Coordinates of all heavy atoms in Angstrom, one line a residue:
Chain V
W481 N -21.6 20.9 -14.2 CA -22.3 21.2 -12.9 C -23.1 22.4 -13.1 O -23.0 23.2 -14.1 CB -21.3 21.5 -11.8 CG -20.4 20.3 -11.7 CD1 -19.1 20.1 -11.9 CD2 -20.8 19.0 -11.2 NE1 -18.6 18.9 -11.7 CE2 -19.7 18.1 -11.2 CE3 -22.0 18.4 -10.8 CZ2 -19.7 16.8 -10.8 CZ3 -22.1 17.1 -10.4 CH2 -20.9 16.3 -10.4
P482 N -24.1 22.7 -12.3 CA -25.2 23.7 -12.6 C -24.6 25.1 -12.8 O -25.1 25.8 -13.7 CB -26.0 23.7 -11.3 CG -25.8 22.4 -10.7 CD -24.4 21.9 -11.0
D483 N -23.6 25.5 -12.1 CA -23.1 26.8 -12.2 C -22.0 26.9 -13.3 O -20.9 26.4 -13.0 CB -22.6 27.3 -10.9 CG -22.3 28.9 -10.9 OD1 -22.3 29.4 -12.0 OD2 -22.0 29.4 -9.8
R484 N -22.3 27.4 -14.5 CA -21.4 27.4 -15.5 C -20.7 28.7 -15.7 O -20.1 29.0 -16.8 CB -22.0 26.9 -16.8 CG -22.4 25.4 -16.6 CD -23.4 25.0 -17.6 NE -22.8 24.6 -18.9 CZ -23.4 23.9 -19.8 NH1 -24.6 23.5 -19.7 NH2 -22.8 23.6 -21.0
R485 N -20.8 29.6 -14.7 CA -20.2 30.9 -14.9 C -18.7 30.8 -14.9 O -18.1 29.9 -14.3 CB -20.6 31.8 -13.7 CG -22.0 32.3 -13.8 CD -22.3 33.2 -12.5 NE -22.4 32.3 -11.3 CZ -22.3 32.9 -10.1 NH1 -22.3 34.2 -9.9 NH2 -22.4 32.0 -9.0
E486 N -18.0 31.8 -15.5 CA -16.6 31.9 -15.4 C -16.3 32.5 -14.0 O -17.1 33.2 -13.4 CB -16.1 32.9 -16.5 CG -16.2 32.4 -17.9 CD -15.2 31.2 -18.2 OE1 -14.0 31.3 -17.7 OE2 -15.5 30.3 -18.9
P487 N -15.1 32.2 -13.5 CA -14.8 32.8 -12.2 C -14.7 34.3 -12.3 O -14.2 34.9 -13.2 CB -13.4 32.2 -11.9 CG -12.8 31.8 -13.2 CD -14.0 31.4 -14.1
E488 N -15.2 34.9 -11.3 CA -15.2 36.4 -11.2 C -13.8 36.9 -10.7 O -13.4 38.0 -11.0 CB -16.3 37.0 -10.3 CG -17.7 36.7 -10.8 CD -18.7 36.6 -9.6 OE1 -18.5 37.3 -8.6 OE2 -19.7 35.8 -9.8
R489 N -13.2 36.1 -9.8 CA -12.0 36.5 -9.3 C -11.2 35.2 -8.8 O -11.8 34.2 -8.7 CB -12.1 37.5 -8.1 CG -12.8 36.9 -6.9 CD -12.7 37.8 -5.7 NE -13.4 37.2 -4.6 CZ -12.9 37.2 -3.3 NH1 -11.7 37.7 -3.0 NH2 -13.6 36.7 -2.3
E490 N -9.9 35.5 -8.6 CA -9.1 34.4 -8.1 C -8.6 34.7 -6.7 O -8.3 35.8 -6.4 CB -7.8 34.2 -9.0 CG -8.1 33.4 -10.2 CD -6.8 33.2 -11.0 OE1 -5.7 33.6 -10.6 OE2 -6.9 32.7 -12.1
M491 N -8.5 33.7 -5.9 CA -7.9 33.9 -4.6 C -6.8 32.8 -4.5 O -7.0 31.6 -4.7 CB -8.9 33.6 -3.5 CG -8.4 33.7 -2.1 SD -9.6 33.5 -0.8 CE -10.6 35.0 -1.0
E492 N -5.6 33.3 -4.2 CA -4.5 32.3 -4.1 C -4.1 32.1 -2.7 O -3.9 33.1 -1.9 CB -3.3 32.9 -4.9 CG -2.1 31.9 -5.0 CD -1.1 32.4 -6.0 OE1 -1.5 32.6 -7.2 OE2 0.1 32.6 -5.6
I493 N -4.0 30.9 -2.3 CA -3.6 30.5 -0.9 C -2.4 29.6 -1.0 O -2.4 28.6 -1.7 CB -4.8 29.9 -0.2 CG1 -5.9 30.9 0.0 CG2 -4.3 29.3 1.2 CD1 -7.1 30.4 0.7
H494 N -1.4 29.9 -0.2 CA -0.2 29.1 -0.2 C -0.2 28.1 1.0 O -0.6 28.5 2.1 CB 1.1 30.0 -0.1 CG 1.4 30.7 -1.4 ND1 2.5 30.3 -2.2 CD2 0.8 31.6 -2.1 CE1 2.5 31.0 -3.3 NE2 1.5 31.9 -3.3
L495 N 0.2 26.9 0.7 CA 0.3 25.9 1.8 C 1.7 26.0 2.3 O 2.7 25.8 1.5 CB 0.0 24.5 1.2 CG -1.2 24.4 0.3 CD1 -1.4 22.9 -0.1 CD2 -2.4 25.0 0.7
T496 N 1.9 26.3 3.5 CA 3.2 26.6 4.0 C 3.5 25.8 5.3 O 2.6 25.3 6.0 CB 3.3 28.1 4.4 OG1 2.1 28.5 5.1 CG2 3.3 29.0 3.1
G497 N 4.8 25.7 5.6 CA 5.1 24.9 6.8 C 6.6 25.1 7.2 O 7.4 25.5 6.4
N498 N 6.8 24.8 8.4 CA 8.2 24.8 8.9 C 8.3 23.4 9.5 O 7.8 23.2 10.7 CB 8.4 25.9 9.9 CG 9.8 25.8 10.5 OD1 10.4 24.7 10.6 ND2 10.4 27.0 10.8
M499 N 8.9 22.5 8.8 CA 8.9 21.1 9.3 C 9.6 20.9 10.5 O 9.3 20.1 11.4 CB 9.5 20.2 8.2 CG 8.8 20.4 6.9 SD 8.7 18.8 6.0 CE 8.5 19.4 4.3
E500 N 10.7 21.7 10.6 CA 11.6 21.5 11.8 C 10.8 21.7 13.1 O 11.0 21.0 14.1 CB 12.8 22.5 11.7 CG 14.0 22.0 12.4 CD 15.2 22.8 12.0 OE1 15.2 23.4 10.9 OE2 16.1 22.9 12.9
R501 N 10.0 22.8 13.1 CA 9.2 23.1 14.3 C 7.8 22.5 14.2 O 7.0 22.9 15.0 CB 9.2 24.6 14.5 CG 10.6 25.0 14.9 CD 10.6 26.5 15.4 NE 10.4 27.4 14.2 CZ 10.0 28.6 14.3 NH1 9.7 29.1 15.4 NH2 9.9 29.4 13.1
Y502 N 7.6 21.7 13.2 CA 6.2 21.2 13.0 C 5.1 22.3 13.0 O 4.1 22.2 13.8 CB 5.9 20.1 14.0 CG 4.9 19.0 13.3 CD1 5.4 18.2 12.3 CD2 3.6 19.0 13.6 CE1 4.6 17.3 11.6 CE2 2.7 18.1 13.0 CZ 3.3 17.3 12.0 OH 2.4 16.4 11.4
M503 N 5.4 23.3 12.3 CA 4.4 24.4 12.1 C 3.8 24.3 10.7 O 4.5 24.2 9.8 CB 5.0 25.7 12.3 CG 5.2 26.1 13.8 SD 6.4 27.4 14.0 CE 5.8 28.7 12.9
W504 N 2.5 24.2 10.7 CA 1.8 24.1 9.4 C 0.8 25.2 9.3 O 0.1 25.5 10.3 CB 1.2 22.7 9.2 CG 2.2 21.6 9.3 CD1 2.5 20.9 10.3 CD2 3.0 21.2 8.2 NE1 3.5 20.0 10.0 CE2 3.8 20.2 8.7 CE3 3.2 21.7 6.9 CZ2 4.8 19.6 7.9 CZ3 4.2 21.0 6.1 CH2 4.9 20.0 6.6
S505 N 0.7 25.8 8.1 CA -0.1 27.0 8.0 C -0.6 27.3 6.6 O -0.2 26.6 5.7 CB 0.8 28.2 8.5 OG 2.0 28.2 7.8
F506 N -1.4 28.3 6.4 CA -1.7 28.9 5.1 C -1.1 30.2 5.1 O -1.2 31.0 6.0 CB -3.2 29.0 4.9 CG -3.9 27.6 4.8 CD1 -4.9 27.2 5.7 CD2 -3.6 26.8 3.7 CE1 -5.5 26.0 5.6 CE2 -4.3 25.6 3.6 CZ -5.3 25.2 4.5
D507 N -0.5 30.5 3.9 CA 0.1 31.8 3.7 C 1.1 32.2 4.9 O 1.2 33.4 5.3 CB -0.9 32.9 3.5 CG -1.6 32.8 2.2 OD1 -1.0 32.2 1.2 OD2 -2.8 33.2 2.1
G508 N 1.7 31.2 5.5 CA 2.7 31.5 6.5 C 2.2 31.8 7.9 O 3.0 32.1 8.8
K509 N 0.9 31.7 8.0 CA 0.3 32.1 9.3 C -0.5 30.9 9.8 O -1.5 30.4 9.2 CB -0.6 33.3 9.2 CG 0.2 34.6 9.1 CD -0.8 35.8 9.3 CE 0.0 37.1 9.4 NZ -0.8 38.3 9.1
K510 N -0.2 30.5 11.1 CA -1.0 29.5 11.7 C -2.4 30.1 12.0 O -2.6 31.3 12.1 CB -0.3 29.1 13.1 CG 1.0 28.5 12.9 CD 1.5 27.9 14.2 CE 1.8 28.9 15.3 NZ 2.3 28.3 16.5
F511 N -3.3 29.2 12.3 CA -4.7 29.6 12.5 C -4.7 30.6 13.8 O -5.5 31.5 13.7 CB -5.6 28.4 12.8 CG -7.0 28.7 13.0 CD1 -7.7 29.5 12.1 CD2 -7.7 28.2 14.1 CE1 -9.1 29.8 12.3 CE2 -9.1 28.5 14.3 CZ -9.7 29.3 13.4
S512 N -3.9 30.3 14.7 CA -3.9 31.2 15.9 C -3.4 32.5 15.6 O -3.5 33.4 16.5 CB -3.1 30.5 17.0 OG -1.7 30.2 16.5
E513 N -2.7 32.7 14.5 CA -2.1 34.0 14.2 C -2.9 34.9 13.2 O -2.5 36.0 13.0 CB -0.7 33.8 13.6 CG 0.3 33.1 14.5 CD 1.5 32.6 13.8 OE1 1.5 32.6 12.5 OE2 2.5 32.3 14.4
V514 N -4.0 34.3 12.7 CA -4.7 35.1 11.6 C -5.8 36.0 12.3 O -6.3 35.7 13.3 CB -5.3 34.2 10.6 CG1 -4.3 33.4 9.8 CG2 -6.4 33.3 11.1
N515 N -6.0 37.1 11.6 CA -7.1 38.0 12.1 C -8.3 37.7 11.2 O -8.3 38.1 10.0 CB -6.8 39.5 12.0 CG -5.4 39.7 12.5 OD1 -5.0 39.3 13.6 ND2 -4.6 40.4 11.7
G516 N -9.3 37.0 11.6 CA -10.5 36.9 10.9 C -10.5 35.9 9.8 O -9.5 35.4 9.4
P517 N -11.7 35.7 9.2 CA -11.8 34.7 8.2 C -11.4 35.0 6.8 O -11.2 36.2 6.5 CB -13.3 34.3 8.3 CG -13.9 35.6 8.7 CD -12.9 36.3 9.6
I518 N -11.3 34.1 6.0 CA -11.3 34.3 4.5 C -12.7 34.6 4.1 O -13.6 33.9 4.4 CB -10.7 33.0 3.8 CG1 -9.3 32.7 4.2 CG2 -10.9 33.1 2.3 CD1 -8.8 31.4 3.8
H519 N -12.8 35.6 3.2 CA -14.1 36.0 2.9 C -14.5 35.7 1.4 O -13.8 36.0 0.5 CB -14.3 37.6 3.0 CG -15.7 38.0 2.8 ND1 -16.0 39.0 1.9 CD2 -16.9 37.6 3.4 CE1 -17.3 39.2 1.9 NE2 -17.9 38.4 2.7
F520 N -15.6 34.9 1.3 CA -16.2 34.7 0.0 C -17.5 35.5 -0.1 O -18.3 35.5 0.9 CB -16.6 33.2 -0.2 CG -15.5 32.2 -0.3 CD1 -15.8 30.8 -0.5 CD2 -14.2 32.6 -0.2 CE1 -14.8 29.9 -0.5 CE2 -13.2 31.6 -0.3 CZ -13.5 30.3 -0.5
R521 N -17.7 36.2 -1.2 CA -18.9 37.0 -1.4 C -20.0 36.0 -1.7 O -19.9 35.1 -2.6 CB -18.8 38.0 -2.5 CG -18.0 39.2 -2.1 CD -18.1 40.3 -3.1 NE -17.7 39.9 -4.5 CZ -16.4 40.1 -4.9 NH1 -15.5 40.6 -4.1 NH2 -16.1 39.7 -6.1
K522 N -21.1 36.2 -1.1 CA -22.3 35.3 -1.2 C -22.6 35.2 -2.8 O -22.7 36.2 -3.4 CB -23.5 35.8 -0.5 CG -24.8 35.0 -0.7 CD -24.9 33.8 0.1 CE -26.3 33.2 0.1 NZ -26.7 32.6 -1.1
D523 N -22.7 34.0 -3.2 CA -23.1 33.6 -4.6 C -22.0 34.0 -5.7 O -22.3 33.9 -6.8 CB -24.4 34.3 -5.0 CG -25.5 33.6 -4.2 OD1 -25.5 32.4 -4.0 OD2 -26.5 34.3 -3.9
E524 N -20.8 34.4 -5.2 CA -19.8 34.7 -6.2 C -19.3 33.4 -6.8 O -19.4 32.3 -6.2 CB -18.7 35.5 -5.7 CG -17.7 34.7 -4.8 CD -16.5 35.6 -4.4 OE1 -16.0 36.3 -5.2 OE2 -16.1 35.4 -3.2
R525 N -18.8 33.5 -8.0 CA -18.1 32.3 -8.6 C -16.6 32.6 -8.5 O -16.1 33.6 -9.0 CB -18.5 32.2 -10.1 CG -17.9 31.1 -10.8 CD -18.6 29.7 -10.5 NE -18.3 28.7 -11.5 CZ -18.3 27.4 -11.2 NH1 -18.7 27.0 -10.0 NH2 -18.1 26.5 -12.2
L526 N -15.9 31.8 -7.7 CA -14.6 32.1 -7.3 C -13.6 31.0 -7.7 O -14.0 29.8 -7.7 CB -14.6 32.1 -5.7 CG -13.3 32.3 -5.0 CD1 -13.0 33.8 -4.9 CD2 -13.4 31.7 -3.6
R527 N -12.4 31.4 -8.1 CA -11.3 30.4 -8.3 C -10.4 30.4 -7.2 O -9.8 31.5 -6.9 CB -10.6 30.7 -9.6 CG -9.4 29.8 -9.8 CD -8.6 30.0 -11.1 NE -9.4 29.4 -12.2 CZ -9.5 29.9 -13.4 NH1 -8.9 31.1 -13.7 NH2 -10.2 29.3 -14.4
L528 N -10.3 29.3 -6.5 CA -9.3 29.1 -5.4 C -8.1 28.5 -6.0 O -8.1 27.4 -6.5 CB -10.0 28.3 -4.3 CG -9.2 28.1 -3.1 CD1 -9.0 29.4 -2.3 CD2 -9.9 27.0 -2.1
V529 N -7.0 29.2 -5.8 CA -5.7 28.6 -6.3 C -4.9 28.2 -5.1 O -4.7 29.0 -4.2 CB -4.9 29.7 -7.2 CG1 -3.6 29.1 -7.7 CG2 -5.8 30.1 -8.4
L530 N -4.5 27.0 -5.1 CA -3.7 26.5 -4.0 C -2.3 26.2 -4.4 O -2.1 25.5 -5.4 CB -4.3 25.2 -3.4 CG -5.8 25.3 -2.9 CD1 -6.3 23.9 -2.6 CD2 -5.8 26.2 -1.7
V531 N -1.3 26.8 -3.7 CA 0.1 26.6 -4.1 C 0.8 26.0 -2.9 O 0.8 26.5 -1.8 CB 0.8 28.0 -4.4 CG1 2.2 27.8 -4.9 CG2 0.0 28.8 -5.5
N532 N 1.4 24.8 -3.2 CA 2.0 24.0 -2.1 C 3.5 24.4 -2.1 O 4.3 24.0 -2.9 CB 1.8 22.5 -2.4 CG 2.3 21.7 -1.2 OD1 3.0 22.2 -0.3 ND2 2.0 20.5 -1.2
D533 N 3.8 25.2 -1.1 CA 5.2 25.6 -0.9 C 6.0 24.6 0.0 O 7.2 24.9 0.4 CB 5.3 27.0 -0.2 CG 4.8 28.1 -1.1 OD1 4.8 27.8 -2.3 OD2 4.5 29.1 -0.6
T534 N 5.4 23.5 0.4 CA 6.1 22.6 1.2 C 6.5 21.3 0.5 O 6.3 21.2 -0.7 CB 5.1 22.1 2.4 OG1 4.3 21.1 1.9 CG2 4.3 23.2 3.0
M535 N 7.2 20.4 1.2 CA 7.7 19.2 0.5 C 6.8 18.0 0.8 O 7.2 16.9 0.6 CB 9.1 18.9 1.1 CG 10.1 19.9 0.4 SD 11.7 19.6 1.1 CE 12.1 18.0 0.3
M536 N 5.6 18.3 1.3 CA 4.6 17.2 1.5 C 3.4 17.4 0.7 O 3.0 18.5 0.4 CB 4.3 17.1 3.0 CG 5.5 16.9 3.9 SD 4.9 16.5 5.6 CE 4.2 14.9 5.4
E537 N 2.6 16.2 0.5 CA 1.3 16.3 0.0 C 0.4 16.9 1.1 O 0.6 16.6 2.3 CB 0.8 14.9 -0.4 CG 1.3 14.4 -1.7 CD 2.8 13.9 -1.5 OE1 3.3 13.9 -0.4 OE2 3.3 13.5 -2.6
H538 N -0.6 17.7 0.7 CA -1.6 18.1 1.6 C -3.0 17.9 1.0 O -3.3 18.4 -0.1 CB -1.4 19.6 2.0 CG -0.1 19.9 2.7 ND1 0.0 19.7 4.0 CD2 1.0 20.4 2.1 CE1 1.3 20.1 4.3 NE2 1.9 20.5 3.2
P539 N -3.9 17.2 1.7 CA -5.3 17.0 1.3 C -6.1 18.2 1.8 O -6.3 18.3 3.0 CB -5.7 15.7 1.9 CG -4.8 15.6 3.1 CD -3.6 16.4 2.9
I540 N -6.5 19.1 0.9 CA -7.2 20.3 1.4 C -8.7 20.2 1.2 O -9.2 19.8 0.2 CB -6.7 21.5 0.5 CG1 -5.2 21.7 0.7 CG2 -7.4 22.8 1.0 CD1 -4.6 21.9 2.0
H541 N -9.4 20.4 2.4 CA -10.8 20.2 2.5 C -11.5 21.4 2.8 O -11.2 22.2 3.7 CB -11.1 19.1 3.6 CG -12.5 18.9 3.9 ND1 -13.5 18.7 2.9 CD2 -13.2 18.8 5.1 CE1 -14.6 18.5 3.5 NE2 -14.5 18.5 4.8
L542 N -12.6 21.7 2.0 CA -13.5 22.8 2.2 C -14.8 22.3 2.7 O -15.4 21.4 2.0 CB -13.6 23.7 1.0 CG -14.7 24.8 1.1 CD1 -14.3 25.9 2.1 CD2 -14.9 25.5 -0.3
H543 N -15.3 22.8 3.8 CA -16.7 22.4 4.3 C -17.7 23.2 3.5 O -17.5 24.4 3.1 CB -16.8 22.7 5.8 CG -16.0 21.8 6.7 ND1 -16.4 21.4 7.9 CD2 -14.7 21.4 6.5 CE1 -15.4 20.7 8.5 NE2 -14.4 20.7 7.7
G544 N -18.9 22.6 3.4 CA -20.1 23.4 3.0 C -20.3 23.6 1.5 O -21.4 23.9 1.1
M545 N -19.2 23.6 0.7 CA -19.3 23.8 -0.7 C -18.5 22.9 -1.5 O -17.4 22.5 -1.0 CB -19.0 25.3 -1.0 CG -19.9 26.3 -0.5 SD -19.1 27.9 -0.3 CE -18.3 27.7 1.3
W546 N -18.9 22.5 -2.6 CA -18.0 21.7 -3.5 C -16.9 22.6 -4.1 O -17.0 23.8 -4.2 CB -18.8 21.2 -4.7 CG -19.7 20.1 -4.3 CD1 -21.1 20.2 -4.3 CD2 -19.4 18.7 -3.9 NE1 -21.7 19.0 -3.9 CE2 -20.6 18.1 -3.6 CE3 -18.2 18.0 -3.7 CZ2 -20.7 16.8 -3.2 CZ3 -18.3 16.7 -3.3 CH2 -19.5 16.1 -3.0
M547 N -15.8 21.9 -4.3 CA -14.7 22.5 -5.1 C -14.6 21.7 -6.4 O -14.6 20.5 -6.5 CB -13.3 22.3 -4.4 CG -13.3 23.1 -3.1 SD -11.6 22.9 -2.3 CE -11.7 21.2 -1.6
E548 N -14.8 22.5 -7.5 CA -14.7 21.9 -8.9 C -13.3 21.9 -9.3 O -12.7 23.0 -9.6 CB -15.7 22.6 -9.8 CG -17.1 22.5 -9.4 CD -18.1 23.4 -10.2 OE1 -17.7 23.8 -11.3 OE2 -19.1 23.7 -9.6
L549 N -12.6 20.8 -9.3 CA -11.2 20.7 -9.6 C -10.9 21.0 -11.0 O -11.3 20.3 -11.9 CB -10.7 19.3 -9.2 CG -9.2 19.0 -9.5 CD1 -8.3 19.9 -8.6 CD2 -8.9 17.5 -9.3
E550 N -10.2 22.1 -11.3 CA -9.9 22.5 -12.6 C -8.7 21.7 -13.2 O -7.6 22.1 -13.3 CB -9.6 23.9 -12.7 CG -10.8 24.8 -12.4 CD -10.6 26.3 -12.6 OE1 -9.9 26.9 -11.8 OE2 -11.1 26.8 -13.6
N551 N -9.1 20.4 -13.6 CA -8.0 19.5 -14.1 C -7.9 19.5 -15.6 O -7.3 18.5 -16.1 CB -8.4 18.1 -13.5 CG -9.7 17.5 -14.1 OD1 -10.4 18.3 -14.7 ND2 -9.9 16.2 -13.9
G552 N -8.4 20.5 -16.2 CA -8.3 20.5 -17.7 C -9.5 19.9 -18.4 O -9.5 19.9 -19.6
A553 N -10.5 19.4 -17.7 CA -11.6 18.7 -18.3 C -12.7 19.7 -18.8 O -13.8 19.3 -19.1 CB -12.2 17.7 -17.4
G554 N -12.4 21.0 -18.8 CA -13.3 22.0 -19.3 C -14.6 22.1 -18.5 O -14.6 22.2 -17.3
E555 N -15.7 21.8 -19.2 CA -17.0 21.9 -18.6 C -17.2 20.7 -17.7 O -18.1 20.6 -16.9 CB -18.1 21.9 -19.6 CG -18.3 23.3 -20.2 CD -19.7 23.4 -20.9 OE1 -20.0 22.4 -21.6 OE2 -20.4 24.4 -20.7
L556 N -16.4 19.6 -17.9 CA -16.7 18.4 -17.2 C -15.7 18.1 -16.1 O -15.3 17.0 -15.7 CB -16.6 17.2 -18.2 CG -17.7 17.3 -19.3 CD1 -17.5 16.0 -20.3 CD2 -19.1 17.3 -18.8

Side-chain angles (χ1 to χ4, degrees):
Chain V
W481 302 111
D483 190 349
R484 294 162 81 164
R485 285 178 294 166
E486 291 290 322
E488 294 154 34
R489 65 169 178 138
E490 276 183 6
M491 178 181 286
E492 185 169 303
I493 294 179
H494 287 251
L495 320 184
T496 47
N498 179 329
M499 304 212 202
E500 208 170 333
R501 288 188 288 160
Y502 210 72
M503 280 163 51
W504 298 100
S505 52
F506 290 119
D507 290 334
K509 282 189 173 163
K510 295 191 292 182
F511 184 50
S512 57
E513 295 168 347
V514 299
N515 316 311
I518 294 170
H519 185 236
F520 291 179
R521 285 192 300 271
K522 175 82 168 70
D523 293 325
E524 75 172 323
R525 184 73 163 158
L526 174 86
R527 170 175 287 142
L528 184 64
V529 179
L530 300 171
V531 184
N532 187 349
D533 290 340
T534 78
M535 286 177 70
M536 297 190 74
E537 284 76 6
H538 298 280
I540 303 299
H541 174 45
L542 174 65
H543 292 219
M545 290 155 279
W546 289 110
M547 296 184 283
E548 296 168 23
L549 174 67
E550 294 187 287
N551 64 348
E555 285 199 312
L556 299 180

